[in-house]
Amino acid sequence: MEKGLLYPVTNKFRQDQKLDGLWDFKFDPSAEGEKKGWTTGFGDPIKMPVPASFNDFFTDKDSREYTGDFWYAKKFFVPDYMKDKMIELRFGAATHRATVYVNGQEIRSHEGGFLPFTADITTAIKLGEENIVTLKMNNELHRDALPAGDTAILKNGKKMSKPFFDFYNYSGLNRSVHLMAIPKENIYDYSTTYDVSENQATVHYDVKATAGSNFMVSLADEDGQIVATSEGQSGDLVVENPTLWQVRDAYLYTIKFELVENGQTVDEYSDEIGLRTIEVKGHQILVNHKSVYLRGFGRHEDSIYAGRAFDLNVERRDMNLMKWIGANSFRSSHYPYDEQVYKFADREGILIIDEVPAVGFKMAAASFLGGLNQSFFDGDWVDELYKKHIDQVKDMIQRDKNHPSVLAWSLCNEPDTSTDSAVPYFTKLFNDSKELDPEKRPRTFTLNEDDTFEASKCLQFPDLYLLNRYPGWYHKWGYEISDGEAGLRAELDEWKNSDIDKPIVFSEYGADTEPGLHKLPSIMWSEEYQIELLDMFDRVFDSYDFVRGEQPWNLADFQTVEGNMRVNGNKKGIFTRDRQPKAAAFFLKKRWTSLPLDY
Ligand code: GCB
């Protein structure tokens, strides 16, 4: 677990410089980089943009599909005036594992390709001189790693990723690299919880610093007016007549912490927060004590050329599409997204179900690639996997806990919960993650099609249920869709007749749709069929009051592994991969903009 994952800022005490741009890059198929001295740089490099996934830049298949070790290197300068500071490198996402060297000195390793980590390089750098950072990275998939998969070796000796999930295994430095200079005595973490009523809101804060000193804390409104102050490591900020953070009507206050040593401020950190509460009560999801019906999407960080790279331009467009269509939420399927996505959502009043990259925890998921009939949680990889899983849950919550947009934590996508061996795994996961979020937001996982009300042995764990269901597409498709609807209703009747009183959100459903393909009457893959399928689901949702949200799969088409189920990617997008609407977008817009918030 990382000690603190505050987002980098520049202020009176801190400096943040992005090292984005062209880096040196090289494949290392025989894992000889260290032996060859690449820790201090390497000859004959490929110039590679950062942030980006390396895959789609290449025009030859061996490079695009490359699996194994690869290296990045970049020179950077640390000016003399930083001499009293702690110097750190912060990697937003190094997919999936990385070892960092500075001037040839090994600094640290990290595993987990969708969460940030920092490397303290204070003693490794030369001040007033050029330094070099190199990274040995690796993108292999394993059953004891997140996301789960296999790495196969082809007869020609080349390695190949075999994911137990459908999204393409885009790899590289997918998010920005920051060079940070921060005070040696510094603030490294903070958290907040809230009480709100119409006339008053209280922010309970807790701040952590490397040295035990005093703290001055203030809260300012959007006009910069200080509305509350406090002192000490933990305390309350009381706001009279607050403007609450509301769904699709966000308001952000700025909280500022000053670390004081002998009467002098030695560090400062400010962040935007939203005053709001989140609860699950019975089958209601409540924001500020008011019921919210979720509408939105499962998504991916995916776009042309740079793959899984965070791209502010794509994100701006996606946020606008979500606003246009009347969405109020999304799931960060199937991994935590770049922090700037959460900042956008905070600003737009969009709720996020934040998901850890625990995906592929089901051997049948490998059926896309041939099928393996075994319980995932019986495997001898499970102990090792668990360590990585809980570590990444900790880092996700650590990183994202202060975002008002975060509604819930999804601890896994579609695990195999129908076997006995899943029960101890999830007992441990839910116990070990219980205290991590000071706000105690709901924790959950998505339930795959096979994990029905009857079959799943893990229904005791989630605080709200996320159902991924594909009648009309993966079964009971086409002319049989009426049977698909009947099956869905039969399952929901079982939930209804049970004594479970928790919300259900449909976190995936949909139909692959080739944009521009029209057919009357509809056939699968046509734009007409996608609408008919969504319409069928809507009819069902409207019949059960414990269904508290709908998030069709997916906001946009995205790249997948190649295979006979996919035509250049997953086409269940309501928008195309270049973010233009399919006919279904207009259908959803009509529904979502007319449903009341608390539908
Ligand atoms: C699922 C997965 C998602 C896939 C989707 C599909 O259940 O959670 O990652 O992309 O199905 O379209 O097959």
Side-chain angles (χ1 to χ4, degrees):
M1 184 187 176
E2 300 298 304
K3 185 171 166 197
L5 285 171
L6 293 180
Y7 195 69
V9 294
T10 296
N11 62 27
K12 248 196 297 186
F13 303 92
R14 296 173 168 241
Q15 187 168 321
D16 162 37
Q17 181 197 343
K18 275 191 186 163
L19 297 186
D20 295 352
L22 283 182
W23 286 52
D24 287 351
F25 177 90
K26 207 175 175 88
F27 293 124
D28 184 10
S30 41
E32 289 178 336
E34 278 116 332
K35 221 164 62 193
K36 290 183 179 158
W38 293 5
T39 57
T40 51
F42 38 84
D44 202 18
I46 297 165
K47 289 289 175 192
M48 183 62 69
V50 171
S53 307
F54 65 73
N55 312 79
D56 285 352
F57 296 127
F58 290 103
T59 52
D60 68 295
K61 199 150 180 166
D62 286 345
S63 301
R64 181 182 192 255
E65 302 295 327
Y66 179 83
T67 303
D69 287 356
F70 49 97
W71 289 72
Y72 280 86
K74 181 146 183 103
K75 291 191 173 137
F76 63 100
F77 195 89
V78 185
D80 273 331
Y81 62 77
M82 289 185 177
K83 68 175 180 330
D84 296 325
K85 302 280 184 193
M86 176 160 102
I87 310 295
E88 288 187 322
L89 286 170
R90 188 183 199 267
F91 300 88
T95 313
H96 296 287
R97 44 194 77 77
T99 303
V100 182
Y101 302 86
V102 168
N103 299 328
Q105 185 181 322
E106 183 174 333
I107 309 291
R108 67 165 293 182
S109 297
H110 179 264
E111 172 149 357
F114 303 93
L115 282 160
F117 64 98
T118 48
D120 180 354
I121 58 168
T122 318
T123 56
I125 45 136
K126 293 173 281 183
L127 281 166
E129 283 180 50
E130 199 158 60
N131 296 273
I132 184 161
V133 53
T134 58
L135 283 107
K136 181 179 80 169
M137 291 183 53
N138 177 284
N139 65 347
E140 289 170 20
L141 298 175
H142 300 291
R143 294 179 191 187
D144 66 2
L146 286 71
D150 282 337
T151 297
I153 303 202
L154 302 176
K155 292 213 163 55
N156 64 11
K158 296 211 161 111
K159 288 182 183 167
M160 178 186 171
S161 319
K162 294 216 166 235
F164 297 171
F165 49 88
D166 77 337
F167 54 95
Y168 190 77
N169 188 34
Y170 278 121
S171 312
L173 288 175
N174 281 327
R175 296 180 193 155
S176 289
V177 179
H178 297 255
L179 174 66
M180 305 190 299
I182 62 174
K184 289 200 166 133
E185 280 190 13
N186 57 68
I187 295 165
Y188 65 86
D189 192 25
Y190 84 91
S191 52
T192 48
T193 60
Y194 303 91
D195 285 315
V196 306
S197 67
E198 289 253 311
N199 317 322
Q200 203 183 59
T202 307
V203 182
H204 310 283
Y205 71 85
D206 183 61
V207 54
K208 292 198 169 77
T210 51
S213 313
N214 197 17
F215 296 88
M216 304 294 294
V217 187
S218 67
L219 193 69
D221 64 17
E222 286 188 357
D223 297 325
Q225 298 300 317
I226 306 283
V227 293
T229 57
S230 183
E231 216 179 296
Q233 184 160 11
S234 56
D236 291 347
L237 295 156
V238 180
V239 187
E240 304 298 339
N241 301 316
T243 309
L244 300 184
W245 187 94
Q246 305 282 15
V247 179
R248 290 296 303 270
D249 186 15
Y251 188 93
L252 298 174
Y253 287 85
T254 298
I255 191 164
K256 182 164 106 181
F257 299 100
E258 285 178 61
L259 175 63
V260 184
E261 191 76 66
N262 303 322
Q264 294 270 319
T265 301
V266 294
D267 190 19
E268 185 184 303
Y269 191 83
S270 301
D271 208 357
E272 289 184 319
I273 58 169
L275 313 187
R276 57 99 192 87
T277 57
I278 282 165
E279 280 161 284
V280 165
K281 232 187 211 162
H283 63 253
Q284 304 288 344
I285 298 168
L286 305 177
V287 176
N288 299 329
H289 315 299
K290 281 190 243 121
S291 180
V292 172
Y293 183 82
L294 304 183
R295 63 214 74 168
F297 298 97
R299 300 177 59 194
H300 266 297
E301 288 187 307
D302 171 278
S303 61
I304 53 168
Y305 309 128
R308 188 111 30 246
F310 175 70
D311 184 333
L312 203 52
N313 308 295
V314 175
E315 192 53 35
R316 178 68 268 174
R317 175 75 180 172
D318 282 357
M319 281 288 161
N320 284 352
L321 294 179
M322 286 193 280
K323 283 164 65 184
W324 171 83
I325 206 169
N328 64 13
S329 60
F330 66 86
R331 175 167 59 112
S332 76
S333 44
H334 293 307
Y335 37 81
Y337 295 172
D338 189 283
E339 287 136 300
Q340 292 166 88
V341 176
Y342 299 72
K343 286 176 181 290
F344 257 125
D346 292 345
R347 179 46 73 197
E348 304 288 2
I350 289 188
L351 294 165
I352 303 175
I353 299 173
D354 205 4
E355 189 159 275
V356 80
V359 48
F361 288 18
K362 188 175 177 75
M363 296 320 282
S367 68
F368 280 127
L369 305 143
L372 292 159
N373 240 346
Q374 174 190 5
S375 163
F376 187 82
F377 295 103
D378 282 337
D380 59 8
W381 53 83
V382 162
D383 289 349
E384 189 54 32
L385 177 74
Y386 182 79
K387 283 188 218 151
K388 294 176 187 168
H389 192 172
I390 189 68
D391 185 58
Q392 294 190 37
V393 169
K394 286 177 181 169
D395 281 356
M396 172 178 76
I397 296 179
Q398 167 93 314
R399 191 194 74 161
D400 296 337
K401 61 179 187 258
N402 294 318
H403 289 285
S405 53
V406 172
L407 170 76
W409 310 105
S410 168
L411 305 187
C412 208
N413 181 61
E414 299 191 349
D416 180 358
T417 68
S418 58
T419 56
D420 290 334
S421 47
V423 179
Y425 189 93
F426 283 100
T427 305
K428 202 162 161 39
L429 187 69
F430 275 78
N431 278 339
D432 293 351
S433 58
K434 206 178 192 156
E435 302 299 330
L436 297 176
D437 175 16
E439 279 202 78
K440 302 276 183 314
R441 272 161 283 198
R443 290 168 301 147
T444 182
F445 46 69
T446 70
L447 284 163
N448 165 271
E449 196 91 63
D450 305 330
D451 295 74
T452 56
F453 177 79
E454 277 195 333
S456 177
K457 301 210 154 98
C458 294
L459 297 185
Q460 64 275 37
F461 298 114
D463 298 317
L464 64 94
Y465 296 104
L466 299 179
L467 302 190
N468 294 356
R469 292 291 181 268
Y470 285 99
W473 190 253
Y474 289 125
H475 60 99
K476 305 292 179 202
W477 58 68
Y479 189 46
E480 275 187 279
I481 193 171
S482 52
D483 279 5
E485 177 171 349
L488 197 56
R489 287 182 185 276
E491 191 193 351
L492 287 173
D493 286 340
E494 289 191 72
W495 286 89
K496 187 177 170 183
N497 298 330
S498 77
D499 52 11
I500 295 179
D501 184 23
K502 294 181 188 175
I504 287 184
V505 171
F506 275 76
S507 43
E508 284 188 29
Y509 56 100
D512 282 85
T513 303
E514 186 56 32
L517 180 68
H518 292 285
K519 191 93 175 172
L520 186 68
S522 74
I523 52 161
M524 292 171 77
W525 294 90
S526 68
E527 298 215 24
E528 289 72 21
Y529 187 76
Q530 188 177 32
I531 293 176
E532 284 168 24
L533 182 135
L534 294 173
D535 194 33
M536 180 276 271
F537 271 89
D538 291 349
R539 259 197 318 273
V540 175
F541 300 155
D542 292 346
S543 316
Y544 297 89
D545 61 0
F546 55 84
V547 173
R548 300 306 303 148
E550 46 188 88
Q551 296 187 330
W553 191 249
N554 185 289
L555 172 71
D557 293 346
F558 61 91
Q559 191 58 241
T560 61
V561 284
E562 54 186 329
N564 49 17
M565 304 233 304
R566 302 286 187 250
V567 187
N568 187 24
N570 189 313
K571 297 287 174 66
K572 294 192 186 69
I574 302 302
F575 297 89
T576 58
R577 199 178 186 213
D578 61 355
R579 274 60 179 182
Q580 297 303 331
K582 298 182 190 173
F586 299 94
F587 171 83
L588 283 180
K589 179 177 168 62
K590 202 164 167 206
R591 173 176 167 85
W592 288 356
T593 50
S594 59
L595 287 183
L597 179 66
D598 62 350
Y599 176 65

